[in-house]
Amino acid sequence: FPIHKFFIGRRSGVHKNVSMEYHALTSVMWWGRLFPITIQRMRFSLSQLHVCHPPTAYPKWDDAPSKSKCTDIMNNGDYHGVRGHVHEIYHEMTNMITSTGTKTFNDSMVPKLKLTRSEMTVTGLYLQHSSRPSEKVIFWIYGGAFLAGDSRGNLGIAEKMGMLCGADRDGEMRDIFIPDYRLVPEYHLDDAVHDVTLAYEYLIYERGILPENVTLLGISSGGGLVVLVLQALAKSRRAYEDGKIGSYVPMPAGGVLMCPFVDYTEPKGSMREYIKHDLIVNQAVYEEGIPYLEKVLGCHENRVRASPCYCDFYGLPPLCICVSQHEIVYDQTMLLAKRAEDHGVDVTVGVWKYMCHVFPMLCAFIPEGRASFKFMCDWIKDH
């Protein structure tokens, strides 16, 4: 950093007014666009996110209340690179409530209501901060353009979100649940929505967490999954109110969308314009990932129906959106915010200038990331 500051200064970032740290990060990350990208490389890179968020990186462990340290129970945190205790989840659900009825894998005689055992199995990581599980939980949905991402790679940064989002005035930190979901191209986008919705039902009905104590948080494509899950829950409730089904799953307290990827139609606007300078979704990533949208979703009409920004927002809980004005998903994010507000949803939007995609994930390196991280944490604490 001192060498960059002396020799290059504020000449490498997209604008001179960004922090010196962001200029230095640009000098390092710009070269990534010169290397070929494959799905395997994307998956490996995102599986290593925890390397960027060790205990010594922002926010440091010392920033959290000392009485919340997980020292009074058997703790496997050192093995996972965190300070809390990590539960590896593998649970076979009996039922799943949908807008067309209650689905099951063992006793339904109606084919459309019958699922395989693997489709009814929830897997993921549940991080507990102390001997007593917290009342409020963050339901963390990782991103990766539906092509990559995993729960283990997100464990470090997710734990720190829970550390800063004290649930109560006594400083209790929020436990984190990071469910796994199936990825494209081996599976379909609908499979990812199914897995995350089933994991939410597991959290409510199997772990006994009250819906009003759960906040959904999604990163990039994970933000799209947050909206799709909320829209599915709202659809089920309307079906219940119309007498079409016998029960529904209650809504969570709200959803946090970190630079959400929510428009799966043909790329346009900021999605095409800003790849030339985005540090995360550069030209190489764009050329590898975008073609899968058409392969998986098919024609334009199917892509519109699959895109959460074009779906119904009636009945959704409050939303918090964090985005950069100069990143690829800016246009679609603002479209989603406007449509949600037009449908009566309480929407809070935080916009930063000149940042790359998912810049809050860079909070260990840049002050803009730390400011946006705090913005989301403050919203979660207020909801």
Side-chain angles (χ1 to χ4, degrees):
F1 178 70
I3 295 176
H4 176 278
K5 187 175 181 179
F6 180 79
F7 286 103
I8 302 178
R10 297 182 178 274
R11 294 192 297 272
S12 58
V14 68
H15 194 277
K16 65 179 182 180
N17 287 346
V18 300
S19 66
M20 186 65 73
E21 290 87 345
Y22 191 79
H23 282 283
L25 195 66
T26 301
S27 298
V28 173
M29 295 184 65
W30 185 90
W31 302 97
R33 67 190 62 239
L34 301 181
F35 296 90
I37 296 295
T38 64
I39 292 179
Q40 289 72 27
R41 290 177 180 175
M42 289 175 63
R43 291 179 178 176
F44 175 77
S45 298
L46 293 182
S47 73
Q48 302 302 305
L49 279 178
H50 62 279
V51 175
C52 300
H53 296 282
T56 54
Y58 170 88
K60 297 180 180 179
W61 283 352
D62 294 339
D63 295 339
S66 59
K67 61 183 174 181
S68 296
K69 292 180 180 178
C70 192
T71 57
D72 49 354
I73 63 173
M74 185 177 295
N75 183 6
N76 61 2
D78 289 342
Y79 173 78
H80 294 280
V82 295
R83 84 168 186 176
H85 182 76
V86 179
H87 302 269
E88 298 192 26
I89 304 300
Y90 181 94
H91 183 85
E92 294 179 354
M93 298 285 285
T94 303
N95 299 309
M96 179 182 183
I97 302 172
T98 73
S99 59
T100 57
T102 301
K103 295 187 177 183
T104 180
F105 71 81
N106 60 0
D107 61 359
S108 176
M109 301 303 295
V110 182
K112 71 176 182 177
L113 297 182
K114 193 171 184 178
L115 298 171
T116 65
R117 186 178 296 272
S118 63
E119 290 174 322
M120 293 294 288
T121 300
V122 176
T123 64
L125 299 177
Y126 192 96
L127 189 142
Q128 185 175 323
H129 289 288
S130 65
S131 58
R132 179 175 64 89
S134 65
E135 290 185 4
K136 298 190 177 184
V137 174
I138 296 175
F139 188 93
W140 183 282
I141 307 177
Y142 50 80
F146 304 111
L147 297 167
D150 59 46
S151 55
R152 200 166 299 278
N154 281 254
L155 196 56
I157 183 70
E159 180 189 42
K160 292 176 180 181
M161 177 70 77
M163 289 166 54
L164 294 182
C165 294
D168 303 316
R169 291 183 179 180
D170 63 0
E172 180 187 33
M173 297 186 290
R174 300 192 185 207
D175 293 345
I176 306 289
F177 179 38
I178 315 176
D180 296 318
Y181 60 86
R182 288 170 286 180
L183 300 173
V184 170
E186 294 87 347
Y187 299 95
H188 195 273
L189 175 61
D190 291 342
D191 296 320
V193 178
H194 166 91
D195 293 345
V196 176
T197 306
L198 186 68
Y200 175 71
E201 293 192 26
Y202 160 79
L203 190 64
I204 302 303
Y205 296 119
E206 301 298 329
R207 297 196 74 95
I209 307 297
L210 296 176
E212 59 266 27
N213 287 338
V214 178
T215 300
L216 274 56
L217 185 149
I219 305 161
S220 187
S221 56
L225 284 174
V226 167
V227 182
L228 287 169
V229 168
L230 294 177
Q231 289 169 337
L233 295 177
K235 184 177 180 181
S236 293
R237 177 163 185 169
R238 290 194 296 270
Y240 170 79
E241 293 172 346
D242 292 340
K244 297 179 181 179
I245 59 175
S247 59
Y248 68 94
V249 183
M251 282 286 185
V256 178
L257 314 179
M258 183 192 301
C259 307
F261 177 34
V262 290
D263 185 351
Y264 314 141
T265 60
E266 294 77 6
K268 52 187 175 295
S270 61
M271 175 64 79
R272 296 185 63 89
E273 181 179 352
Y274 292 148
I275 56 172
K276 59 188 177 184
H277 61 69
D278 200 292
L279 302 180
I280 303 298
V281 183
N282 54 42
Q283 186 71 39
V285 175
Y286 175 91
E287 292 176 354
E288 174 66 17
I290 290 300
Y292 282 101
L293 290 175
E294 185 174 2
K295 290 181 181 179
V296 172
L297 297 176
C299 66
H300 174 76
E301 290 73 18
N302 288 343
R303 295 168 72 171
V304 171
R305 284 193 292 268
S307 301
C309 65
Y310 299 118
C311 296
D312 193 344
F313 287 88
Y314 286 112
L316 266 62
L319 298 175
C320 172
I321 300 174
C322 180
V323 69
S324 166
Q325 187 176 342
H326 299 89
E327 64 152 304
I328 60 163
V329 301
Y330 176 71
D331 287 350
Q332 57 188 265
T333 297
M334 300 312 293
L335 172 63
L336 181 142
K338 182 181 186 304
R339 294 197 73 249
E341 287 182 333
D342 291 344
H343 285 76
V345 180
D346 179 8
V347 181
T348 302
V349 182
V351 179
W352 273 256
K353 290 185 176 182
Y354 314 123
M355 295 288 105
C356 63
H357 186 51
V358 296
F359 69 98
M361 297 291 285
L362 302 174
C363 59
F365 307 102
I366 58 174
E368 295 92 342
R370 292 191 282 274
S372 61
F373 210 75
K374 184 178 183 301
F375 167 79
M376 291 182 288
C377 288
D378 289 343
W379 187 92
I380 292 174
K381 286 188 285 188
D382 290 340
H383 293 78

